[in-house]
């Protein structure tokens, strides 16, 4: 990330409640005096309710409640349109049979429409980190518009790369691949496969840890805890454990199909709530700014351009090793669905990142002195805007953050498992054994991730 040269930033301490200088235009007390007032019990209720709903969707996706047309129309079921050898599946019975194989559990092969791919990429790529990522760009007048546009474009750009090269990767690897590790094996040999696998696992594991850290600290912030204190570690760790257990449970039930199905609903939930929150936050009297005040935060700078270029290069390179994105290449029904889905998903990602970036600009415009003197931190600008809202809207933010984190975490879990999937099947393991080993692998991934996120 980028910040003022003298700003001391620590993303892992997102829930720090900072003392701030009062703005004469504001009527509410400073954040240190008037913190968020959601009770721990209410926060737990939101967390478990949202995660339970996603688990129910996964149970439906796994077919435990039948395979009715109604469930299919509601988007709760995914069915393959071709077999792993590339041949079309003619009947519904064949599709149902294919949906119970280990291959479909691990790859959701040839089952997702363009709409499903778009919503899945949008939901899985936008984790809890977005509430402070582009927000910091917007709340820093030295970066401002170009920083926000750069972060938004950088986050959307990987999908456009996949649009361009995804069809060729899928054609070279065939219809039995699971990730770009298989492309490395087919094109360059075992050493390249292992290299791609090592980099991918490292990148996605760090992503997983950061998601668990982010949601834990956001929950801590919204219930008024100070995560600097050792006494709050138990609470924030319990949030990470809950997220890990629920996502592990429902991805273990239905694999990648569960991740894609839940992504679709998570994306719809996030888009709706973010739109409503945009209206409510901007309409609140204490968040209104004049054209002259907004002009202070609205700048086009060389530093912003440098940030934008750096972010595009950094994020594009890193995201090429995110196997959660590449899994959707083989999950798409066709190349046409793949391209249309990633293009639409890229646009949705861009819009969401722009939303949080502009929220950061509004926060800075509302109280520039505190940000300039670092009494407030740019990456917490979004929370400064929602502070004067009533508790109901704070709960809405918790729902959004929970959906954001769950969609990313379940994708990362299945993506890390996918790296080893082809070798499990190639070695001749039965479908049941392959699924069991995948579930054990997911446990092995989550335990150290939770431990590291609690540090």
């Amino acid at each position: 990330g980028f910040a003022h040269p003298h700003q001391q930033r620590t993303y892992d301490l997102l829930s720090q409640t900072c003392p701030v200088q009062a703005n004469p235009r504001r009527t509410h007390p400073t954040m240190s005096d008037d913190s968020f007032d959601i009770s721990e019990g209410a926060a737990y209720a939101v967390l478990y309710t949202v995660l339970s709903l996603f688990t129910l969707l996964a149970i439906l996706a796994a077919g435990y409640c039948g395979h009715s047309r109604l469930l299919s129309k509601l988007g709760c079921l995914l069915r393959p349109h071709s077999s792993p050898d590339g041949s079309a599946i003619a009947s519904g019975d064949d599709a149902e049979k294919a949906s119970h194989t280990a291959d479909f559990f691990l790859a959701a092969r040839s089952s997702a429409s363009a709409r499903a791919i778009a919503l899945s990429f949008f939901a899985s790529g936008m984790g809890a980190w977005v509430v402070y990522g582009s927000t910091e760009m917007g709340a820093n007048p030295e970066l401002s518009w170009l920083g926000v546009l750069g972060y938004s474009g950088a986050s959307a750009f990987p999908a456009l790369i996949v649009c361009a090269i995804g069809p060729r990767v899928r054609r070279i690897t065939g219809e039995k691949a699971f990730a770009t590790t298989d492309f490395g094996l087919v094109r360059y040999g075992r050493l390249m496969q292992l290299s791609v696998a090592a980099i991918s696992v490292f990148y996605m594991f760090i992503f997983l840890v950061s998601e668990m850290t982010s949601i834990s600290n956001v929950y801590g912030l919204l219930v008024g805890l100070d995560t600097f204190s050792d006494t709050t570690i138990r609470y924030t760790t319990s949030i990470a454990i809950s997220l890990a257990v629920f996502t592990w449970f429902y991805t273990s039930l239905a694999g990648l199909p569960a991740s894609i199905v839940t992504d679709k609903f998570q994306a719809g939930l996030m888009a709706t709530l973010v739109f409503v929150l945009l209206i409510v936050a901007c309409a609140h009297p204490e968040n209104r700014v004049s054209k002259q005040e907004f002009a202070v935060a609205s700048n086009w700078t060389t530093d912003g351009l440098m940030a934008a270029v750096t972010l595009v290069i950094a994020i594009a390179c890193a995201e090429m090793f995110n196997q959660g994105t590449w899994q959707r290449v083989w999950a798409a029904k066709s190349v046409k669905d793949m391209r249309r889905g990633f293009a639409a998903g890229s646009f949705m990602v861009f819009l969401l990142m722009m939303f949080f970036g502009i929220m950061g600009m509004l926060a800075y415009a509302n109280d520039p002195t505190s940000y300039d003197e670092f009494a407030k931190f740019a990456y917490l600008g979004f929370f400064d805007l929602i502070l004067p809202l009533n508790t109901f809207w704070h709960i809405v933010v918790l729902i959004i953050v929970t959906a954001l984190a769950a969609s990313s975490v379940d994708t990362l879990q299945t993506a890390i498992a996918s790296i080893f999937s082809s070798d499990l099947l190639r070695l001749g393991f039965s479908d049941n054994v392959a699924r069991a080993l995948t579930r054990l692998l997911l446990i092995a991934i989550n335990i150290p991730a939770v431990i590291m996120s609690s540090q």
Side-chain angles (χ1 to χ4, degrees):
F2 290 81
H4 190 283
H6 304 294
Q7 181 177 355
Q8 299 299 314
R9 295 164 47 253
T10 49
Y11 282 118
D12 57 326
L13 296 173
L14 173 62
S15 60
Q16 175 187 8
T17 303
C18 314
V20 300
Q21 295 183 355
N23 184 341
R25 299 192 307 105
R26 290 188 158 196
T27 58
H28 72 278
T30 62
M31 189 176 291
S32 59
D33 299 321
D34 185 17
S35 61
F36 297 96
D37 56 357
I38 300 176
S39 68
E40 292 185 21
Y44 275 127
V46 171
L47 178 69
Y48 294 138
T49 299
V50 174
L51 292 178
S52 295
L53 289 175
F54 295 155
T55 302
L56 176 60
L57 286 173
I59 292 173
L60 295 175
Y64 290 110
C65 297
H67 302 83
S68 68
R69 290 186 178 182
L70 177 60
L71 291 177
S72 296
K73 290 182 178 180
L74 291 174
C76 298
L77 295 174
L78 289 180
R79 288 292 173 264
H81 289 254
S82 64
S83 60
D85 61 7
S87 60
I89 295 178
S91 68
D93 291 339
D94 291 338
E96 184 175 337
K97 183 178 180 181
S99 67
H100 292 294
T101 63
D103 178 85
F104 191 74
F105 176 87
L106 296 167
R109 197 174 308 281
S110 303
S111 63
S113 64
R115 179 174 175 271
I117 294 296
L119 294 175
S120 183
F121 174 76
F122 168 67
S124 61
M126 298 289 96
W129 59 272
V130 302
V131 299
Y132 60 92
S134 59
T135 302
E136 182 185 27
M137 300 291 108
N140 188 329
E142 295 183 7
L143 304 177
S144 195
W145 279 113
L146 288 177
V148 172
L149 288 167
Y151 214 147
S152 303
S155 300
F157 187 50
L160 300 181
I161 298 177
V162 174
C163 281
I165 67 176
R168 179 168 173 78
V169 171
R170 180 168 170 169
R171 183 170 63 253
I172 290 173
T173 56
E175 293 298 328
K176 293 186 178 181
F178 295 86
T180 51
T181 50
D182 298 307
F183 173 78
L185 176 64
V186 171
R187 194 66 184 264
Y188 303 106
R190 179 67 73 175
L191 181 59
M192 180 59 73
Q193 180 199 27
L194 295 175
S195 299
V196 174
I199 297 172
S200 297
V201 169
F202 175 77
Y203 170 68
M204 291 188 291
F205 181 77
I206 296 300
F207 196 160
L208 184 63
V209 173
S210 70
E211 276 303 300
M212 292 182 178
T213 304
S214 295
I215 189 174
S216 299
N217 288 337
V218 169
Y219 266 77
L221 171 63
L222 292 179
V223 298
L225 297 180
D226 177 13
T227 54
F228 279 121
S229 172
D230 291 340
T231 60
T232 65
I233 291 178
R234 182 175 181 180
Y235 176 78
T236 54
T237 302
S238 71
I239 300 297
I241 291 174
S242 300
L243 179 65
V245 169
F246 271 92
T247 52
W248 170 83
F249 179 72
Y250 69 70
T251 52
S252 295
L253 283 177
L256 183 58
S259 179
I260 294 176
V261 167
T262 55
D263 282 347
K264 292 192 294 182
F265 288 89
Q266 288 159 348
L269 177 66
M270 288 186 293
T272 301
L273 294 182
V274 164
F275 179 74
V276 173
L277 192 63
L278 168 65
I279 297 174
V280 173
C282 293
H284 196 282
E286 295 180 25
N287 290 334
R288 294 176 184 171
V289 297
S290 66
K291 183 178 180 180
Q292 292 74 22
E293 289 170 331
F294 187 74
V296 176
S298 178
N299 300 298
W300 301 85
T301 66
T302 302
D303 285 345
L305 178 61
M306 293 174 60
V309 172
T310 304
L311 286 166
V312 170
I313 295 172
I315 294 177
C317 294
E319 278 296 300
M320 289 299 97
F321 292 93
N322 186 345
Q323 300 303 331
T325 299
W326 285 105
Q327 279 185 300
R328 275 69 182 166
V329 168
W330 288 276
K333 290 180 184 178
S334 64
V335 169
K336 182 179 179 180
D337 285 297
M338 178 208 309
R339 281 182 161 153
R340 290 174 59 188
F342 277 111
S346 174
F347 181 64
M348 294 170 67
V349 166
F350 181 83
L351 291 181
L352 184 68
M353 295 294 289
M354 284 297 297
F355 162 76
F356 283 106
I358 293 173
M359 290 296 99
M361 295 175 70
L362 288 174
Y364 180 86
N366 203 28
D367 193 7
T369 302
S370 293
Y371 286 100
D372 289 340
E373 296 178 354
F374 309 113
K376 293 180 181 178
F377 294 108
Y379 69 100
L380 290 174
F382 173 71
F383 295 98
D384 185 50
L385 279 183
I386 66 171
L387 180 59
L389 304 183
N390 63 40
T391 303
F392 171 80
W393 295 108
H394 298 163
I395 291 175
V396 168
V397 172
L398 279 185
I399 295 173
I400 294 172
V401 170
T402 304
L404 286 167
S407 60
S408 290
V409 169
D410 65 35
T411 295
L412 292 166
Q413 290 174 342
T414 56
I416 294 174
S418 76
I419 292 175
F420 308 97
S421 300
S422 58
D423 283 327
L424 288 177
L425 298 180
R426 191 181 297 115
L427 291 172
F429 288 104
S430 67
D431 285 0
N432 289 334
V433 172
R435 279 191 286 261
L437 290 175
T438 300
R439 289 163 181 156
L440 292 175
L441 177 62
L442 291 177
I443 293 176
I445 293 167
N446 277 291
I447 291 175
V450 170
I451 293 173
M452 291 185 67
S453 70
S454 67
Q455 302 303 311

